[in-house]
Amino acid sequence: MVTIAPSILAADFAAFGAEIAAVEAEGADWIHVDVMDGHFVPNITFGPQTCAAIRPHIRTLMDVHLMIAPVDPFIDAFAAAGADILTAHVEAGPHIHRTLQAIRAAGCRPGVALNPGTPVEAVRPVLDLVDLVCVMTVNPGFGGQSFIDTCLPKVAQLRAWAPHLHIEIDGGVGPGNARRLVEAGADVLVAGSSVFKGGSVADPAPYGQNIRAIRKAATSVAA
Ligand code: DX5
Ligand code: ZN
C-alpha cells in the first residue's frame, strides 16, 4: 500500500492548521513538512517553532524534512516540536552517522535524504540507522519543479539493499509518474503542487481528487 504525504510547502502559509485539517480530511496519509534554511538550499521556510505550532493540527504523522546545515544543533528542538520522522540530508555535514544516531536518541524515527547529484552508495553505510530513505527527484529548495528521471534507478537499488525500509520520493511526483515510482520500489510519495493545485481551505474537494488520482495511478501496478 502506498503512503501519500502532501507537502505543506504548496499550502497557504497563513493557514497551515486549516490546510492540514483539509488535506487530511481529503485523504492524506502523512503530512510532509519542508524545513529550509537559505544556506543548505536557496530558500527559507520555517523552523521548529512553526513545527510545534502546527503539530496539534496533524492527526496522522509529521514527516519533517530538514534541508538545513548543520543539523545536529537543532535535533532536540525538532524532536520537542513533535516530529515523528526527522530526515537529514547525507550532504548536510561530515557526520551523518552521528546525526542519525542523535535523531534516534531524541525519540524520532530517523530518515536520510539524498540529492539528485548524490550517488545512492552514499547512504548505504547508514541504512541500518534509519527507518526511511528520501530520494530527492528535484533539487531541493522549491516546489513545482520537474521530476528528474535519472534519480529513478536509485529507488530499485535501495529497495534491493533494504526491503524493510520506507523509500520516499520527493519532488515532481504526480499521477503521471506514481506508477513507475511504486514499481521501482517506493512506498511513500511526497506531493506538493500536484495535491494542492486547484483547491483551497474554502474549497478542499480538489485536494481529495488530486490525492485519489495519485493513489489510483500508484496502485494500478500490475500484481
Ligand atoms: C522540495 C521539497 C519538496 C517539495 C515537493 O525541496 O523537499 O517536498 O515540496 O514539491 P512538488 O511536489 O511540488 O515537487
Ligand atoms: Zn520535502
Side-chain angles (χ1 to χ4, degrees):
M1 186 176 138
V2 68
T3 293
I4 298 183
S7 165
I8 58 167
L9 188 62
D12 176 355
F13 272 44
F16 276 145
E19 288 277 43
I20 289 164
V23 82
E24 287 191 345
E26 294 292 336
D29 298 311
W30 296 358
I31 299 297
H32 185 83
V33 178
D34 286 310
V35 176
M36 304 184 185
D37 67 352
H39 166 75
F40 180 70
V41 290
N43 195 7
I44 300 175
T45 54
F46 46 75
Q49 203 168 355
T50 301
C51 290
I54 66 177
R55 187 66 191 88
H57 300 272
I58 299 176
R59 290 167 179 262
T60 57
L61 185 147
M62 189 181 199
D63 173 31
V64 177
H65 177 191
L66 296 179
M67 287 162 276
I68 67 173
V71 173
D72 295 12
F74 302 101
I75 290 171
D76 288 345
F78 284 103
D84 295 298
I85 297 174
L86 195 54
T87 295
H89 268 261
V90 68
E91 306 88 354
H95 298 296
I96 186 66
H97 192 282
R98 176 185 294 151
T99 297
L100 295 169
Q101 287 179 317
I103 290 172
R104 180 86 67 192
C108 300
R109 294 159 66 185
V112 64
L114 68 163
N115 285 331
T118 300
V120 67
E121 287 76 13
V123 300
R124 192 174 189 186
V126 296
L127 291 179
D128 63 323
L129 298 180
V130 299
D131 288 8
L132 175 147
V133 181
C134 175
V135 178
M136 292 302 304
T137 46
V138 298
N139 288 299
F142 303 95
Q145 303 180 81
S146 298
F147 183 86
I148 300 171
D149 271 290
T150 49
C151 301
L152 197 53
K154 296 180 191 178
V155 180
Q157 180 60 78
L158 285 165
R159 187 48 81 208
W161 285 339
H164 56 291
L165 292 183
H166 287 303
I167 300 179
E168 175 178 76
I169 310 294
D170 190 3
V173 173
N177 56 20
R179 177 176 174 151
R180 280 193 295 143
L181 306 179
V182 172
E183 282 180 336
D187 67 307
V188 183
L189 303 180
V190 174
S193 45
S194 68
V195 165
F196 284 92
K197 73 171 182 200
S200 67
V201 168
D203 176 24
Y207 298 167
Q209 291 158 10
N210 295 336
I211 290 170
R212 286 191 293 277
I214 297 168
R215 201 185 300 283
K216 186 176 175 197
T219 53
S220 65
V221 177

